[in-house]
């Protein structure tokens, strides 16, 4: 029985499917092998890329907000990033239902395509401050994409603008940091460590900066959980085989687990 008032005539109106472009979205899962489980593999990665698009959307605006001293606005965006991260972490549990034997049935169909080449993942890493110069070479095939990555590579990441916010508040931040080459991965500085220590020791006075710090820790914590689940899922499915894109696979994924985006925000926990 149809509920009264439900609109059923869409000859002159936009439908839900049209608004979401579902014809494009749902027709983009093309299995190259025809194997049943390739559908799972494609959908998981496409869904992750959609979530990454939202993460980037929020991070980029949060960076702008912090630069404009609009910290409360940034908090909302960063909190949303953390919630999205829970979705992409849990997605690995679904992909882990793919067994090694099932994956080998269609792995060759991928050619050299690999998640290692995810440009949105690279843009997220750039926004978090992790810059690797050799990575950009992967995307030279697409000039527009290469230009976008190059721009993000040289732009300040979210921790860079957080450090700038510390300086604007009056903390004696090393001036070299404020005009540094942002294409170089940040490695830490005593003046930043001292500033965050004061923030954590006087939370009431520096409430907004304290909140910003904790939001950043939330994001790094979740990103590392995502990295770990990625590594374990890959190990579970292909062991220590070389990745389809030529990377060392699990060995590479393990190597990045020790990297810290916001080092002083972790060190301060020992010092307070």
């Amino acid at each position: 029985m149809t509920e009264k008032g439900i609109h059923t005539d869409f000859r002159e109106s936009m439908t839900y499917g049209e608004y979401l472009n579902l014809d494009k979205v749902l027709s983009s899962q093309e299995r190259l092998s025809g194997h049943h489980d390739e559908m799972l593999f494609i959908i998981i990665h496409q869904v992750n890329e959609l979530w990454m698009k939202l993460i980037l959307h929020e991070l980029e605006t949060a960076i702008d907000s912090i630069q404009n001293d609009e910290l409360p606005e940034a908090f909302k965006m960063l909190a949303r990033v953390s919630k999205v991260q829970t979705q992409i972490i849990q997605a690995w549990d679904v992909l882990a239902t793919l067994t090694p034997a099932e994956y080998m049935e269609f792995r060759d169909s991928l050619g050299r395509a690999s998640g290692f080449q995810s440009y949105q993942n690279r843009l997220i890493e750039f926004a978090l401050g992790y810059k690797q110069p050799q990575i950009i070479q992967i995307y030279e095939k697409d000039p527009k994409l290469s230009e976008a990555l190059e721009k993000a590579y040289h732009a300040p990441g979210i921790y860079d603008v957080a450090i700038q916010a510390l300086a604007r508040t009056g903390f004696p931040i090393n001036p070299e940091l404020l005009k540094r080459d942002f294409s170089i991965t940040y490695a830490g500085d005593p003046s930043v460590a001292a500033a965050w220590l004061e923030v954590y020791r006087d939370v009431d006075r520096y409430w907004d900066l304290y909140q910003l710090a904790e939001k950043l820790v939330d994001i790094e914590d979740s990103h590392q959980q995502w990295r770990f689940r990625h590594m374990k899922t890959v190990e579970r499915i292909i062991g220590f085989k070389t990745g389809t894109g030529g990377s060392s696979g699990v060995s590479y994924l393990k190597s990045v687990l020790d990297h810290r985006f916001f080092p002083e925000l972790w060190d301060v926990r020992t010092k307070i």
Side-chain angles (χ1 to χ4, degrees):
M1 182 178 178
T2 303
E3 184 180 339
K4 290 182 179 180
I6 295 294
H7 194 74
T8 57
D9 182 0
F10 287 93
R11 285 173 292 185
E12 304 294 333
S13 303
M14 178 177 62
T15 66
Y16 169 81
E18 288 168 340
Y19 172 69
L20 294 176
N21 283 314
L22 288 181
D23 56 337
K24 296 179 182 178
V25 174
L26 299 179
S27 63
S28 63
Q29 295 76 42
E30 299 180 8
R31 290 177 292 164
L32 299 182
S33 68
H35 191 273
H36 173 84
D37 294 302
E38 189 180 356
M39 183 65 76
L40 163 68
F41 191 83
I42 292 171
I43 288 176
I44 286 292
H45 288 85
Q46 288 182 341
V47 168
N48 278 348
E49 291 293 336
L50 284 172
W51 281 129
M52 286 181 188
K53 183 172 183 176
L54 182 55
I55 288 174
L56 284 168
H57 178 68
E58 302 297 339
L59 281 178
E60 288 165 1
T61 308
I63 288 172
D64 289 341
S65 296
I66 295 168
Q67 287 177 314
N68 293 322
D69 289 321
E70 298 169 347
L71 297 188
E73 289 82 352
F75 298 158
K76 172 71 177 193
M77 299 160 197
L78 296 178
R80 183 174 291 160
V81 169
S82 294
K83 290 296 184 181
V84 174
Q85 287 176 304
T86 65
Q87 299 298 311
I88 61 175
I89 291 169
Q90 292 173 359
W92 294 121
D93 293 337
V94 182
L95 186 59
T97 64
L98 181 69
T99 68
E102 289 164 348
Y103 180 52
M104 292 309 295
E105 290 290 329
F106 63 86
R107 188 178 192 236
D108 289 345
S109 299
L110 274 62
R112 293 183 177 178
S114 165
F116 184 82
Q117 299 148 16
S118 168
Y119 66 84
Q120 290 199 122
N121 184 38
R122 297 307 174 191
L123 287 170
I124 290 171
E125 289 183 338
F126 289 176
L128 297 179
Y130 186 48
K131 311 286 182 75
Q132 294 178 292
Q134 70 276 16
I135 290 297
I136 297 179
Q137 298 174 5
I138 297 173
Y139 310 99
E140 290 177 348
K141 178 180 180 179
D142 186 333
K144 185 176 180 180
L145 177 56
S146 183
E147 181 182 352
L149 282 154
E150 191 73 35
K151 181 180 178 181
Y153 181 73
H154 290 283
I158 196 160
Y159 197 51
D160 294 309
V161 299
I163 292 172
Q164 292 168 3
L166 288 171
R168 288 195 299 273
T169 302
F171 289 102
I173 300 298
N174 178 359
E176 294 299 316
L177 287 182
L178 306 178
K179 57 182 180 179
R180 76 183 192 88
D181 181 352
F182 296 118
S183 69
I184 299 173
T185 299
Y186 178 77
D189 186 272
S191 67
V192 176
W196 285 126
L197 183 58
E198 187 172 343
V199 167
Y200 274 78
R201 283 178 171 169
D202 196 346
V203 171
D204 292 338
R205 181 179 179 184
Y206 301 111
W207 178 252
D208 278 355
L209 288 170
Y210 174 71
Q211 284 285 89
L212 174 60
E214 286 299 290
K215 289 288 188 293
L216 293 179
V217 169
D218 288 342
I219 288 173
E220 177 162 356
D221 190 349
S222 292
H223 194 81
Q224 291 295 63
Q225 290 182 50
W226 180 83
R227 280 175 163 177
F228 179 79
R229 289 298 300 128
H230 184 186
M231 181 269 293
K232 294 306 293 184
T233 302
V234 171
E235 183 177 3
R236 175 173 177 155
I237 295 174
I238 68 167
F240 284 80
K241 291 186 181 74
T242 300
T244 49
S247 74
S248 58
V250 169
S251 297
Y252 168 78
L253 296 174
K254 281 186 175 180
S255 71
V256 298
L257 286 175
D258 290 332
H259 174 76
R260 298 191 301 173
F261 296 106
F262 318 130
E264 290 90 358
L265 296 183
W266 295 99
D267 292 341
V268 74
R269 283 151 166 74
T270 304
K271 296 176 181 178
I272 58 174

